[in-house]
Amino acid sequence: MFRYVLVLPDGEPHDPAVLVTAVADWSVEEGVLLGSGERLRILAIETGISDRLIDAGFNGVFVVEPVA
């Protein structure tokens, strides 16, 4: 499983703030469908994350925006 922190373009956490997925390869502009039915678009992928996040089991940070 892969875990990603979800943040909005202004740096605020998205709600929910974590995506857990079996998919390892994501791309900028790709869509994400959450369990709630909400759709997000990935605007940026940050893989150079802090040791604290790595120690907590995260693989990266996705900057996302809601899609109507």
Side-chain angles (χ1 to χ4, degrees), residues 16-53:
V18 175
L19 173 68
V20 179
T21 178
V23 179
D25 297 323
W26 292 91
S27 302
V28 171
E29 294 298 321
E30 192 166 357
V32 176
L33 179 62
L34 301 180
S36 65
E38 181 180 10
R39 295 183 185 276
L40 304 173
R41 179 181 9 257
I42 300 172
L43 301 177
I45 299 172
E46 301 172 8
T47 56
I49 59 176
S50 72
D51 289 339
R52 190 178 107 237
L53 285 176

Side-chain angles (χ1 to χ4, degrees), residues 4 8 11-12 14 17 19 21 29 38 55-56 63:
Y4 298 93
L8 299 170
E12 291 295 316
H14 181 272
L19 173 68
T21 178
E29 294 298 321
E38 181 180 10
D55 291 345
V63 179

